[in-house]
Amino acid sequence: MTQHYRITLLPGDGIGPEIMSVAVEVLKVVEKQFDIQFEFQEALIGGAAIDATGEPLPATTLDMCRNSDAVLLAAIGGYKWDSLPRHLRPETGLLGLRAGLGLFANLRPAKILPQLIDASSLKREVVEGVDIMVVRELTGGIYFGQPKGIFTTETGEKRGVNTMAYTEAEINRIGRVAFETARKRGGKLCSVDKANVLEVSQLWRDRISQLASEYPDVELSHLYVDNAAMQLIRWPKQFDTIVTGNLFGDILSDAAAMLTGSIGMLPSASLGATGVGVFEPVHGSAPDIAGQDKANPLAQVLSAAMMLRYGLNQPVAASRIEQAVIQVLDGGDRTGDIMSEGMNYLGCRAMGDALIQELEKLAS
Ligand code: NAD
């Protein structure tokens, strides 16, 4: 029986529309190859939404996302909107989407593909075989804690305030996702905090340690975030699954991303309580290369694969896309960000065409 899925597409800003159009073309091929039918509906977010409606997350966008089976997002932001007040910034739209859909768990794989080892800035022996999953808490911590704002003190001086706060319940639910994820992978979980300085981290460490008794098959360790940053660069193969809060996860997942050579290769999944997940590349809107057909669409395409696997329970179709990506790379095709000597340079659209050719070969 044909499975119907309503997918909300949020192309956003910068390179977003270019990479989204490649992902949609790929999904249209997958649709023909499997018993799947997509109903795509496009909505505004970020700078594009600000320009059209005056706000970064129009209510209609959130409604459309809530009424879909999954959301495929590209990226938001750009120089043009950088000087707007905080509540009108593109990033506020993204935070609102995460909060509106209750997306508390962000899964960011950083896996080095053998074909791209030389694109990493680290030595081959350091990165070969790296396969890390960063589980980042997404709706709590310092990005949401109250009080927040820029206040004026009694002496008339301005004071900026953000609050890092986590409740036990918030730590438990992200902890459980992380233990379950580690269980399905290499069985090792490293919890990252700053418990030597921050009370909120002390609670984090206590709760995660308590949860460990429910998962005797998972080996738990703890690291302070500064040490974790060093260890990620020094010997990343020691990590399997990492769980951490919102701010630390934001930074560490980008560092993990760079181990793999290009941020243009990394997908992510954000899962929550409502069942509607958001699937998006780790990278931003890359305004420096927007509109030049230079963007690497593979993170977006791999995000569509994560959508099929984690959001729509279509693992076979997901694997088909991942296999096509590997075959394109095996054939020597590269966008500029992962280019190396002797490889064949392709722009964003041509990379999409190459993927579709591989998908068609895989089906025949
Ligand atoms: P960025 O990820 O957009 O770009 C960092 C560097 O990586 C740039 O040199 C860019 O050209 C390159 N790059 C990124 N994606 C690429 C791709 N697919 N192919 C080839 N090269 C790629 O990060 P930034 O420059 O810090 O931020 C730019 C804008 O994006 C800002 O407005 C920021 O707020 C926003 N941003 C959005 C998200 C998101 O939508 N989730 C995430 C991070 C940053």
Side-chain angles (χ1 to χ4, degrees), residues 234-257:
R234 192 186 70 83
W235 195 243
K237 274 182 263 193
Q238 68 186 282
F239 294 107
D240 170 38
T241 306
I242 293 175
V243 63
T244 189
N246 207 342
L247 173 65
F248 301 155
D250 194 357
I251 299 164
L252 291 181
S253 56
D254 272 11

Side-chain angles (χ1 to χ4, degrees), residues 13 15 19 73-79 81-82 89-91 94 98 108 250 254 258 262-265 280-290 294-300 335-338:
D13 308 316
I15 60 170
I19 56 176
L73 168 69
I76 51 91
Y79 316 126
W81 304 281
D82 277 353
R89 296 274 288 273
E91 293 77 6
L94 202 54
R98 288 171 184 166
R108 293 186 167 204
D250 194 357
D254 272 11
M258 277 323 288
S262 173
I263 202 161
M265 291 298 302
E280 58 177 311
V282 166
H283 62 72
S285 59
D288 52 332
I289 56 166
K294 284 184 181 166
N296 181 349
L298 295 180
Q300 185 73 62
T335 45
D337 56 315
I338 51 172

Side-chain angles (χ1 to χ4, degrees), residues 217-236:
D217 50 327
V218 176
E219 184 193 320
L220 175 67
S221 60
H222 301 274
L223 276 184
Y224 298 134
V225 63
D226 41 348
N227 189 13
M230 284 197 288
Q231 297 300 331
L232 261 180
I233 309 302
R234 192 186 70 83
W235 195 243

Side-chain angles (χ1 to χ4, degrees), residues 47 53 58 62 67 77 81 97 121-122 131 181 202 217 226 246 257 295 304 310 330 336 347 349 353:
T53 69
L62 191 52
N67 292 315
W81 304 281
L97 181 70
S121 54
L122 297 188
D131 182 359
T181 305
Q202 188 57 58
D217 50 327
D226 41 348
N246 207 342
Y310 294 103
D330 271 343
R349 278 195 302 272
D353 295 342

Side-chain angles (χ1 to χ4, degrees), residues 129-145:
V130 162
D131 182 359
I132 301 172
M133 179 71 86
V134 180
V135 179
R136 167 188 170 195
E137 201 291 327
L138 208 56
T139 49
I142 198 163
Y143 294 171
F144 293 95

